[in-house]
Amino acid sequence: MARRIPPLNPLRVFEVVARTQNLTTAAQELHVTQSAVSRQIGTLESYLGVELFKRVRHGVVLTRVGQSFASEIVPAFEAIANATERLVKGTSQGALRVRTYTTFAAKWLIPRLPEFKRLYPNIDVRITTAVPDVDFARDPVDVAIQYGDGRWPRTQTDLLFLDEIEPVCSPGFLAEHAPDPRHPEQVLGQRLLVSHYRRTDWDDWLSTTGLAACAEVAERMSFSSSVLTWQAAKDGLGIAMGQTALLRAELESGQLVCPFGRPLQRDKGHYLVRPEVQRASKKVTAFREWLLESAASFVAASSDMH
């Protein structure tokens, strides 16, 4: 059997009038006219079939039935107000909770966070890492940064930058296995280092460049993350598929080199992801604006390098 609940707007008006015991004060709190308050009270009384207030010379007073009703309705609205306050504080105040991948956090986001903390020293940023796509109804985070096509249900997304992949290895590994700079493809016959969550990258690049035959006999060694794959490449264990946007420091320092100079840009990228319905908060707004500006500067600098 369905629960019987009175119209909520007249019920809200009743709660304010019962609490303030004054039509004028209630009208001010509700930002309506006194006559509108009276009409809402009349609507509720008609629905319930009882008189809730007596009209007296100086205003209104609760009837016996009205007092009994108010003794339960007023605390109920107080509980709703308290619950709402706790929810709003939990989402708009406190730490900014950011979720992303370990690789992205380590190689791109964390190196830039000192700048954000300098600009917004009072915003506490807490980063968690996970591979599955975020579910804001389940996961206790405010925003996420994840890889894909930007189309996730019930979300708002901002593209940070597109994904670009290219093989990378240490200078020593290249010199040992492909001493002739005119034939870098010789290095493809050596050990290929593969990131578990990006395991199709090698085949995509080899197919696009027409070099698949050069790697047919190569051993493949798998790692649980791209960070470990790139570390193995730096240590001379093999040649890895790099995400050039996340390896700028290693490429600029010469720890890693790109033997082929043939990057493959994907139609996917890294996106800032927010709930489709999200209460505006200063911390989220500040982080979003800073992140988009940082990404734009990064993309512009990358274009200048090319």
Side-chain angles (χ1 to χ4, degrees):
M1 181 177 178
R3 292 180 297 176
R4 186 174 183 182
I5 298 177
L8 293 180
N9 197 46
L11 193 65
R12 167 63 172 147
V13 173
F14 167 78
E15 184 272 334
V16 177
V17 177
R19 175 164 44 81
T20 62
Q21 296 285 298
N22 189 286
L23 290 174
T24 301
T25 302
Q28 292 172 346
E29 180 175 327
L30 294 165
H31 303 290
V32 297
T33 64
Q34 188 171 321
S35 61
V37 170
S38 296
R39 286 196 299 272
Q40 292 293 324
I41 293 299
T43 297
L44 184 61
E45 289 178 328
S46 297
Y47 177 86
L48 297 173
V50 297
E51 187 179 38
L52 298 170
F53 293 96
K54 287 183 178 178
R55 278 63 176 175
V56 297
R57 181 176 179 183
H58 298 293
V60 295
V61 295
L62 286 162
T63 62
R64 179 183 59 82
V65 173
Q67 286 178 337
S68 177
F69 193 50
S71 68
E72 296 188 69
I73 294 302
V74 173
F77 271 91
E78 182 69 18
I80 293 171
N82 291 337
T84 303
E85 182 69 14
R86 287 191 296 271
L87 185 149
V88 169
K89 282 186 175 180
T91 56
S92 64
Q93 299 179 14
L96 174 67
R97 302 162 300 176
V98 182
R99 174 169 137 166
T100 188
Y101 311 119
T102 299
T103 298
F104 189 90
K107 306 305 294 182
W108 199 92
L109 180 59
I110 291 175
R112 289 168 172 77
L113 275 184
E115 178 194 8
F116 180 78
K117 292 299 293 181
R118 180 181 61 81
L119 295 172
Y120 303 98
N122 296 324
I123 298 180
D124 180 21
V125 181
R126 297 182 185 174
I127 297 176
T128 57
T129 59
V131 173
D133 291 342
V134 69
D135 179 350
F136 289 107
R138 176 196 64 207
D139 304 321
V141 296
D142 299 301
V143 298
I145 301 170
Q146 56 193 41
Y147 174 76
D149 59 10
R151 295 191 292 269
W152 293 281
R154 301 181 302 281
T155 65
Q156 305 176 69
T157 61
D158 296 292
L159 176 64
L160 302 180
F161 47 84
L162 291 172
D163 185 42
E164 184 179 88
I165 61 173
E166 184 172 6
V168 295
C169 64
S170 69
F173 187 85
L174 178 62
E176 179 182 356
H177 297 289
D180 186 345
R182 294 172 298 178
H183 297 286
E185 67 275 7
Q186 292 176 346
V187 79
L188 295 176
Q190 303 303 313
R191 185 180 296 113
L192 305 185
L193 308 176
V194 181
S195 173
H196 174 73
Y197 291 106
R198 304 275 306 220
R199 50 190 177 273
T200 66
D201 283 0
W202 264 116
D203 291 331
D204 291 345
W205 186 86
L206 289 168
S207 174
T208 301
T209 57
L211 294 173
C214 299
E216 283 182 350
V217 299
E219 171 195 354
R220 296 198 180 199
M221 180 180 287
S222 181
F223 296 83
S224 62
S225 72
S226 294
V227 168
L228 294 179
T229 307
W230 300 334
Q231 184 62 50
K234 285 193 287 185
D235 291 334
L237 195 59
I239 182 168
M241 185 55 64
Q243 299 168 48
T244 51
L246 306 186
L247 288 173
R248 179 180 291 179
E250 287 82 356
L251 293 171
E252 289 181 347
S253 67
Q255 290 179 289
L256 291 173
V257 295
C258 298
F260 300 93
R262 297 173 68 176
L264 170 63
Q265 189 171 85
R266 321 298 287 274
D267 56 2
K268 295 182 178 181
H270 297 282
Y271 287 81
L272 174 65
V273 185
R274 296 171 290 141
E276 185 176 44
V277 179
Q278 183 180 62
R279 182 181 177 86
S281 67
K282 292 181 180 179
K283 64 182 182 181
V284 171
T285 299
F287 184 75
R288 175 177 179 265
E289 291 177 352
W290 168 80
L291 189 66
L292 293 180
E293 185 176 334
S294 296
S297 297
F298 174 78
V299 170
S302 298
S303 299
D304 291 342
M305 290 176 62
H306 292 133

